[in-house]
Amino acid sequence: MPSTLTNSPSARRRNRWIGRLPYFALAFFLATIALLVWLTRQYDAEEQQSALITDVLWMEQNLRFQLDRNEALLQQIGPELLDRSTRPSNQTEAQLRQLMSQDRGIVRVLWIDAQGALKGSLPPQTETSVVGESEGASPSESVMKLARALGRPVYGPAYPVLGDEYHFEVYVPAWSEEAFLGVVVAEYSLSDLVSRELPWWFSERYRVAVLDPDGREIAAKSKISPLASHLSYTTPFEPPGRGLTLQITAYKGETRWMPVLLIASIVLFGAVIVWSIWQLRRQLARRQEAEQALRSESAFRKAMEDSVITGLRARDLDGRITHVNPAFCRMTGFSADELIGAMPPMPYWDPDQIDNTLQVHDVVMASGTPPDGLEVSLRRKNGERFSALIFEAPLIDAEGHNNGWMGSVLDITEQKRARELARQQEERLQATSRLITMGEMASTLAHELNQPLAAIASYNSGCINRIDAGEVDPAELREIHEKIGRQARRAGEIIRRVHDFVRRSEPKHESIDLNGVIREAVGLVEADSRKRQMRLEIDLAPQSPRVMADPVMIEQIMVNLVRNGMDAMRTTPAKSRVIRIRTRSAANTAEVRVIDHGSGIDGETAEHLFQPFFTTKNEGMGMGLNICRSIAELHHGRLTFEPNPSGGTIFILTLPVERP
Ligand code: ADP
């Protein structure tokens, strides 16, 4: 079964893995993208680093070149400035001015003779102090000596001047044909050098700072902007050397939006994918839950359907069987495979009643069955016939269309048999009850019968006497014979009534004249009433109501009610001993009232009145009213009672009138 397959542990494990697969794929995808971005950034950083190094090398070259150029110029003009015999030529002065031009970083040029005396300066200096403004031992002197000794320009250390400005000097020895003339000293401003010597594009990209041997920053070309600390490079500031270093740090470049956007969109897409997978899983879970609920529901319904003893059979609109339940298969003896797809005439139809069943089938297919079902005779596979009660209801699909019929089939063979048995017993009981009634009235009836017989006998002996006496008058004789005939008919009528009343015949269901039946009943009991000195008054509806009934059964009710009334009037004063029988008819019902002036019915008796074997009489059997009510109900009527306002009881029999 598919459900067990999908529920097996291995299938569950596989489903779990399949469920997780998108997450793994997504995680792998995001990791790859992240790696790619990282590699790109790494590559970018390396690119920047190498660009930085190239730029630094270029800057170093540039500074060195500038300083070398200045050195060369100073070497050139040195002898002329220091030679006492000559005045500096115009060209020298021009070169001097050129040196002082702004972009070279030189703030002052001094020329000092071999004895250390200041010979001149530009800008001119009033004091005659020696070079080097730092305190203590004049480092300049040692530097000067070193320059002389080495015979090449020597740079002095950096020293602070006003504020946080730092300067350094270059001592360029000047010679005149092997004779040492002195030194030309160029004083550089570190910050000027750094800021002016570098082109704009360089300072746009980098912050250049000069650090002293202790690592303190003593000059910088700065732009206030966050620095990319990882993109920094330090190189010895050579010349001037002396432990000075150049530190070049790249400014943080413009934010590179492309990778940021790329990452952001990937993260966003990732989030969207995760969200949609999550939604999908939720939906899947909901579906699974619904499926599970549906499975349980359908299992429950199947169990229910399998357990019912009512046969269920579904048909489409063409009458083809689409579904049967086990109870239906058991009932008919056919298997589901044999039944599903079958078209009328169905294999379980009674072959002797094919036409009738087909007719019923057509009616059912057109309009279903009446609320109390339809009874049909069916046949099991083994040939056994059975009675079935069928209830048919339309099958309505989810769109509200009637796409077939669902029939509930009940095997009522046993019930029918039991019902028939009960009916027969009831009938027998009624007949017995009638016999008993007749037995009770036997002496009265015998007496009643005796009267016409006695009359006949007396007329007969009268006739014989006349004949014997030879006084035969034909006219008189005829009159006597007419009387004899009347009496004989009267006797015959009594016997017929008794015979009709006690005769056991099949129950009838015929159109009867209610007044006529009442007259018959009265005919049976009037002798009894006479004997008991009670009067019977009949008040019959002018238009006799017609009802569909068995006349003997209705007569039985009337005899019972009248005799009960007479029993109840035993102690009633003679003048009130009247039983009135009244018939009336309304729109749909006919009503018979039997009104007595007897003892009435107290509450206790009323409770048990219609129960079998309930009696308050010594000789009573207690079955009369019970049988009367059964007969009334058999005729779809009612038997009730109410107290008579003028004393006694009124029994009311209501029967539906016959529909034309
Ligand atoms: P039975 O006549 O054999 O007693 P019924 O079933 O005919 O049986 O009556 C049951 C009881 O109902 C009677 O015993 C009587 O007590 C009461 N009963 C019936 N009809 C009347 C009536 N018209 N007036 C008073 N009591 C009645």
Side-chain angles (χ1 to χ4, degrees), residues 323-334:
H323 175 79
V324 285
N325 77 337
F328 189 79
C329 295
R330 277 197 301 275
M331 201 181 287
T332 57
F334 290 95

Side-chain angles (χ1 to χ4, degrees), residues 564-565 568 596 600-601 609 614-617 620-622 624-625 649 651:
N564 273 349
D596 68 56
I601 294 170
L609 206 64
F614 172 78
T615 180
T616 56
K617 302 168 197 166
M621 213 171 71
L625 285 180
T649 314
F651 273 87

Side-chain angles (χ1 to χ4, degrees), residues 74-88 92 110-120 144 172-176 179-185:
L74 288 167
Q75 267 174 338
Q76 209 179 329
I77 61 170
E80 246 186 87
L81 286 173
L82 289 166
D83 195 350
R84 256 177 249 152
S85 55
T86 55
R87 269 185 51 80
T92 309
L110 309 160
W111 47 101
I112 301 164
D113 66 10
Q115 286 71 45
L118 177 71
K119 300 307 292 176
M144 205 169 95
V172 182
W175 306 85
S176 164
F180 177 66
L181 296 175
V183 288
V184 182
V185 182

Side-chain angles (χ1 to χ4, degrees), residues 344-419:
M346 304 299 182
Y348 50 83
W349 283 7
D350 185 346
D352 298 342
Q353 296 198 25
I354 288 281
D355 291 342
N356 182 31
T357 317
L358 197 64
Q359 229 169 7
V360 171
H361 169 85
D362 290 343
V363 170
V364 166
M365 292 302 286
S367 57
T369 51
D372 46 357
L374 264 179
E375 214 178 297
V376 287
S377 169
L378 301 178
R379 200 185 63 152
R380 301 187 217 279
K381 197 178 181 182
N382 62 11
E384 191 187 329
R385 285 186 173 73
F386 69 101
S387 298
L389 188 63
I390 300 180
F391 299 88
E392 206 83 33
L395 268 178
I396 308 293
D397 67 10
E399 274 80 45
H401 303 305
N402 176 5
N403 59 9
W405 294 91
M406 174 55 95
S408 316
V409 185
L410 283 171
D411 182 349
I412 54 163
T413 317
E414 275 312 307
Q415 288 98 308
K416 251 186 108 174
R417 204 170 289 154
R419 218 161 52 207

Side-chain angles (χ1 to χ4, degrees), residues 32-332:
T32 312
I33 294 294
L35 184 71
L36 264 175
V37 169
W38 182 77
L39 283 175
T40 313
R41 289 185 73 84
Q42 207 63 9
Y43 176 74
D44 267 12
E46 273 168 26
E47 282 266 281
Q48 282 176 337
Q49 189 74 26
S50 67
L52 172 79
I53 292 167
T54 315
D55 286 349
V56 167
L57 285 177
W58 176 87
M59 183 197 77
E60 213 183 352
Q61 278 309 111
N62 193 41
L63 280 175
R64 190 190 296 270
F65 171 75
Q66 201 61 44
L67 291 173
D68 285 354
R69 207 163 56 123
N70 291 349
E71 273 177 32
L73 210 59
L74 288 167
Q75 267 174 338
Q76 209 179 329
I77 61 170
E80 246 186 87
L81 286 173
L82 289 166
D83 195 350
R84 256 177 249 152
S85 55
T86 55
R87 269 185 51 80
S89 66
N90 285 348
Q91 191 194 353
T92 309
E93 278 178 13
Q95 282 173 325
L96 206 52
R97 271 195 299 278
Q98 192 188 344
L99 272 172
M100 295 297 294
S101 72
Q102 282 191 339
D103 60 345
R104 292 189 181 228
I106 297 174
V107 291
R108 197 157 54 136
V109 179
L110 309 160
W111 47 101
I112 301 164
D113 66 10
Q115 286 71 45
L118 177 71
K119 300 307 292 176
S121 75
L122 194 78
Q125 201 172 355
T126 44
E127 277 182 43
T128 53
S129 66
V130 286
V131 289
E133 286 171 17
S134 48
E135 306 164 8
S138 165
S140 54
E141 216 170 307
S142 57
V143 179
M144 205 169 95
K145 277 184 188 146
L146 189 63
R148 183 180 175 176
L150 292 175
R152 61 170 177 80
V154 173
Y155 287 83
Y159 54 89
V161 290
L162 308 159
D164 52 0
E165 270 274 308
Y166 273 79
H167 287 184
F168 71 90
E169 290 154 349
V170 60
Y171 291 74
V172 182
W175 306 85
S176 164
E177 293 165 10
E178 306 298 313
F180 177 66
L181 296 175
V183 288
V184 182
V185 182
E187 187 179 337
Y188 285 95
S189 159
L190 260 178
S191 53
D192 278 5
L193 189 68
V194 172
S195 56
R196 300 226 171 93
E197 276 308 307
L198 298 177
W200 64 268
W201 62 263
F202 194 87
S203 40
E204 279 293 303
R205 274 192 220 160
Y206 305 108
R207 178 178 195 273
V208 182
V210 180
L211 310 180
D212 71 4
D214 301 332
R216 263 183 310 121
E217 186 178 296
I218 52 174
K221 170 141 187 175
S222 158
K223 216 177 86 177
I224 309 303
S225 173
L227 297 169
S229 53
H230 62 283
L231 278 177
S232 182
Y233 195 79
T234 312
T235 178
F237 192 7
E238 197 79 54
R242 290 192 179 264
L244 292 184
T245 48
L246 278 170
Q247 188 187 48
I248 296 92
T249 311
Y251 289 117
K252 244 184 199 160
E254 289 285 295
T255 314
R256 287 158 62 91
W257 284 109
M258 272 312 283
V260 173
L261 272 177
L262 189 71
I263 294 170
S265 53
I266 287 167
V267 168
L268 188 76
F269 283 136
V272 169
I273 291 172
V274 168
W275 184 79
S276 42
I277 291 175
W278 182 63
Q279 285 292 330
L280 222 76
R281 280 181 72 93
R282 265 182 50 165
Q283 214 169 348
L284 206 74
R286 253 183 268 138
R287 268 185 100 113
Q288 276 170 350
E289 259 171 48
E291 260 174 39
Q292 187 55 43
L294 213 70
R295 261 203 294 277
S296 320
E297 173 80 13
S298 107
F300 172 68
R301 285 186 183 276
K302 184 161 165 32
M304 232 165 49
E305 200 191 299
D306 290 354
S307 68
V308 290
I309 50 162
T310 309
L312 295 175
R313 178 260 293 117
R315 286 185 295 188
D316 63 16
L317 290 175
D318 300 327
R320 184 181 292 105
I321 295 181
T322 53
H323 175 79
V324 285
N325 77 337
F328 189 79
C329 295
R330 277 197 301 275
M331 201 181 287
T332 57

